[in-house]
Structures are given as structure tokens and as C-alpha cells.
């Protein structure tokens, strides 16, 4: 199944559980729930989780490498768009990892670093979008300011709803692949 097509099919699945978890925590509004559901569906494909490449076209797998890429990319033609793309990915990546793979992130002693990087990256995206007068820039400010509570909510959602015996038929293999410990 193609990446865009599989995300289309997974988004309602993730939206259902994101909505349930966030409502039970009295958290988030429709735009945040929609954004996080889309991010979860997108990162269900490992190639999307690691889609950022360095200047040699090699896959980047750490937040530190992503931040270094921003320094290497000084000569990029559209600098602000490049920076926005990398910062958005860092925000999404850290939110995903601190929510879905929290135990792994903690084991690597990266939780505080990921939270800080995610918050500042989303705030940078907000500032770039605001400067460029992009619609829906406020969502990134909200993601920055609420990063920890959204990360906790995703972690809660994983613990409460993503046990294989509770998952609708047909999604078990996908979730096994998504939630397999990356270590």
C-alpha cells in the first residue's frame, strides 16, 4: 500500500483513539486532535519517521543529526522553508517518540532533551508561519506550549487502547510494526 494511501486508511483509526484519549483527559481541541491523528498515521510508516536526509542523502535518525543538518544547510535556496520543514519534523518526531516510545526515550536518557527540542521546534515553526502569514500557525504555538501534556496524552492512549486484544481486526500487524521497540 502506498504511503499516502496507508495514511488515509490509518487516520480514522488513530483519530478514533486520539479523540477518546484526549476527551477522557479533557484535553485538546479538534485541530490538535486532527493534527496528532494525522502525525500518528503518517509515522506509522517507518520511512516517514526517518524521511529527513542529510546532504549526502543518508537517512537521519537522531534529533541531534536533524539539528546539525540545519547548520549544514546554510546555502539552501529557500532557507526559511527548509528550516520550517526540519523543525516541523523534529517537533513531530519528538512528540511521537515521547508518546509512543516513551520507555525507549527514557532508557536512552533523552526524555528532557526530546521535550525541550520538540517544544522549541514547534515554536520556531509557529514563528516562521506567522512571519509568512500562513493559516493555522497557531496550532504550532499550541503544540509548543502544550507539548508535555500532548506527549503524556499519546503515551496514555498507547497504554490504554493499543493492546493487541483491544485493536480492531486487521490493524494488529500494523501496530506490532509501529510499536516494536526501536532499540
Amino acid at each position: 500500500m502506498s504511503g499516502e494511501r496507508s495514511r488515509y486508511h490509518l487516520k480514522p483509526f488513530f483519530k478514533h483513539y486520539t479523540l477518546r484519549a484526549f476527551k477522557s483527559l479533557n484535553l485538546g481541541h479538534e485541530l490538535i486532535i486532527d493534527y496528532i491523528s494525522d502525525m500518528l498515521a503518517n509515522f506509522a510508516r517507518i520511512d516517514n519517521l526517518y524521511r529527513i536526509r542529510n546532504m549526502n542523502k543518508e537517512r537521519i535518525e537522531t534529533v541531534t543529526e536533524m539539528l546539525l543538518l540545519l547548520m549544514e544547510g546554510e546555502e539552501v535556496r529557500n532557507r526559511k522553508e527548509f528550516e520550517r520543514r526540519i523543525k516541523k519534523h523534529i517537533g513531530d518526531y519528538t512528540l511521537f517518540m515521547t508518546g509512543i516510545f516513551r520507555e525507549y526515550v527514557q532508557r536512552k536518557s533523552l526524555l528532557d532533551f526530546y521535550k525541550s527540542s520538540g517544544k522549541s521546534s514547534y515554536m520556531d515553526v509557529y514563528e516562521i508561519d506567522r512571519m509568512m502569514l500562513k493559516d493555522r500557525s497557531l496550532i504550532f504555538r499550541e503544540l509548543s506550549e502544550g507539548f508535555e501534556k500532548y506527549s503524556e496524552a499519546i503515551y496514555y492512549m498507547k497504554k490504554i487502547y493499543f493492546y493487541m486484544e483491544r485493536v480492531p481486526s486487521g490493524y494488529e500487524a500494523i501496530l506490532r510494526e509501529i510499536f516494536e521497540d526501536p532499540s
Side-chain angles (χ1 to χ4, degrees):
M1 192 180 302
S2 77
E4 197 58 39
R5 193 166 154 217
S6 65
R7 186 168 92 201
Y8 172 77
H9 290 294
L10 285 173
K11 185 165 180 187
F13 169 80
F14 282 112
K15 186 159 187 177
H16 171 78
Y17 288 106
T18 304
L19 190 59
R20 283 181 68 184
F22 280 44
K23 277 192 174 189
S24 72
L25 296 170
N26 198 26
L27 181 63
H29 52 76
E30 188 61 31
L31 288 176
I32 292 291
I33 290 168
D34 195 54
Y35 184 90
I36 289 174
S37 302
D38 193 50
M39 181 266 299
L40 291 170
N42 186 41
F43 281 175
R45 291 186 47 90
I46 195 80
D47 53 323
N48 289 333
L49 184 61
Y50 297 116
R51 76 171 165 263
I52 302 296
R53 305 284 173 165
N54 65 19
M55 298 304 174
N56 296 325
K57 307 290 185 217
E58 299 163 326
R59 185 167 95 172
I60 292 179
E61 298 183 3
T62 70
V63 173
T64 303
E65 289 175 307
M66 291 176 212
L67 292 169
L68 288 172
L69 180 64
L70 287 170
M71 288 187 268
E72 291 175 13
E74 290 295 327
E75 292 90 36
V76 173
R77 189 166 35 106
N78 190 343
R79 176 70 188 159
K80 278 298 175 196
E81 196 54 47
F82 173 74
E83 183 180 342
R84 183 195 185 281
R85 183 174 62 86
I86 301 300
K87 293 285 186 146
K88 181 181 176 298
H89 186 80
I90 291 170
D92 291 348
Y93 178 87
T94 56
L95 186 60
F96 180 82
M97 293 298 287
T98 60
I100 299 298
F101 293 114
R102 180 172 295 260
E103 295 89 353
Y104 170 79
V105 172
Q106 286 173 322
R107 205 169 45 248
K108 297 288 187 180
S109 299
L110 293 170
L111 188 61
D112 290 338
F113 174 65
Y114 273 28
K115 285 178 181 180
S116 172
S117 296
K119 289 172 78 164
S120 66
S121 291
Y122 278 142
M123 187 55 76
D124 290 345
V125 173
Y126 162 71
E127 292 294 341
I128 292 168
D129 282 2
R130 193 173 58 87
M131 185 179 68
M132 298 171 85
L133 303 174
K134 287 191 175 193
D135 290 342
R136 295 173 64 163
S137 64
L138 288 176
I139 195 168
F140 294 104
R141 187 174 81 188
E142 174 61 29
L143 287 165
S144 173
E145 292 171 354
F147 188 91
E148 290 184 35
K149 66 183 176 184
Y150 296 128
S151 170
E152 291 286 341
I154 294 168
Y155 182 57
Y156 168 83
M157 177 177 60
K158 174 195 170 190
K159 289 189 322 184
I160 300 299
Y161 299 116
F162 292 162
Y163 289 100
M164 294 308 151
E165 59 272 5
R166 294 186 183 177
V167 174
S169 179
Y171 288 103
E172 301 94 344
I174 293 167
L175 288 179
R176 244 183 251 105
E177 186 176 320
I178 294 168
F179 299 126
E180 187 174 287
D181 192 334
S183 57

